[in-house]
Amino acid sequence: LPAVHEYRAWPPAEMRRERVVATSLFCLQDADGQALGVCAISVDVTGSQRARERLAILSEAGTRIGSTLDVMQTSQELADLAVPLLADYATVDLADSVRLGEEPARIGPAGGRRHVLRRAGLASIRPGAPESPWARGEPVLVQRPSPWAGALSSGRSYLEPVLDAGPGTWLDQDPTRARTLHEHGMHSGMIVPIRARRAVLGVASFVRT
């Protein structure tokens, strides 16, 4: 009987780009029904596989996020969903006004060199989330310049496919995060502003280690 298998592959010409391949296998027979060999037909299904994965994540998010009106609980649900579906380590940091249930105010450029948020959600593939210098509920300092400060001020997401920790980067101004990045092998990250009614309420961070 024919068999169909899906597997992940890294073509020699694109070793850093993962592909998903569906292969149909069936037996080749002669006129007497004797097996002559095996035929394999392979099709690149990367696009459809990724679409299915995204739909599965959205479906899961719809059932797991927003089970209460408590923003701290909702933030934790978001972090818990992201790990390990999207990231190895995820955090959600909110302005105190949001955490206390007050009317959200837009977070614009800080007058000084730092923003202060509150860690509302935290998840990691490692027990106890050792990557986080701050526990849930603790204030989080956001140095300027940094991708976090940029996302808060602009309202735009930030993606760093390969985290650059070399001299002269924003990490020079944020020694706490620089130390964490080195200790835990963080190699790529994404920072997404959390928005409601045209106001930026905080940021969610997703990191792979």
Side-chain angles (χ1 to χ4, degrees):
L1 294 175
V4 179
H5 299 277
E6 280 193 6
Y7 62 93
R8 297 176 185 271
W10 290 263
E14 300 178 287
M15 286 301 294
R16 296 187 63 180
R17 179 170 296 183
E18 181 185 72
R19 314 299 297 180
V20 180
V21 179
T23 299
S24 300
L25 303 169
F26 53 92
C27 181
L28 296 176
Q29 300 176 330
D30 62 15
D32 297 323
Q34 298 297 312
L36 300 176
V38 176
C39 178
I41 300 176
S42 298
V43 179
D44 187 331
V45 295
T46 305
S48 59
Q49 173 67 17
R50 288 176 178 167
R52 289 198 300 270
E53 290 173 351
R54 289 171 182 151
L55 287 174
I57 291 174
L58 288 174
S59 176
E60 187 78 2
T63 60
R64 290 177 53 182
I65 298 177
S67 61
T68 73
L69 296 177
D70 184 336
V71 294
M72 293 290 286
Q73 178 62 29
T74 300
S75 297
Q76 186 58 46
E77 290 168 350
L78 171 58
D80 288 337
L81 175 71
V83 177
L85 285 176
L86 175 65
D88 299 321
Y89 167 61
T91 62
V92 179
D93 300 323
L94 300 177
D96 268 337
S97 61
V98 177
R99 185 176 65 91
L100 297 174
E102 299 172 2
E103 186 68 19
R106 179 173 178 80
I107 303 174
R113 290 189 57 79
R114 298 185 298 183
H115 292 279
V116 179
L117 303 175
R118 189 75 57 173
R119 181 128 297 169
L122 173 63
S124 170
I125 59 172
R126 296 176 172 88
E131 304 96 328
S132 179
W134 303 281
R136 282 191 72 213
E138 289 186 344
V140 175
L141 303 180
V142 179
Q143 298 280 4
R144 299 182 67 211
S146 72
W148 285 267
L152 288 169
S153 299
S154 69
R156 293 191 295 270
S157 299
Y158 175 86
L159 171 66
E160 194 161 347
V162 180
L163 285 170
D164 184 2
T169 64
W170 62 268
L171 285 165
D172 285 346
Q173 309 299 321
D174 199 337
T176 300
R177 284 194 170 89
R179 184 171 58 253
T180 300
L181 185 149
H182 287 295
E183 288 178 354
H184 299 284
M186 297 177 175
H187 59 75
S188 60
M190 178 169 58
I191 301 166
V192 181
I194 298 173
R195 307 179 64 173
R197 289 174 286 181
R198 300 183 181 179
V200 178
L201 312 182
V203 288
S205 303
F206 308 99
V207 178
R208 286 187 172 168
T209 60

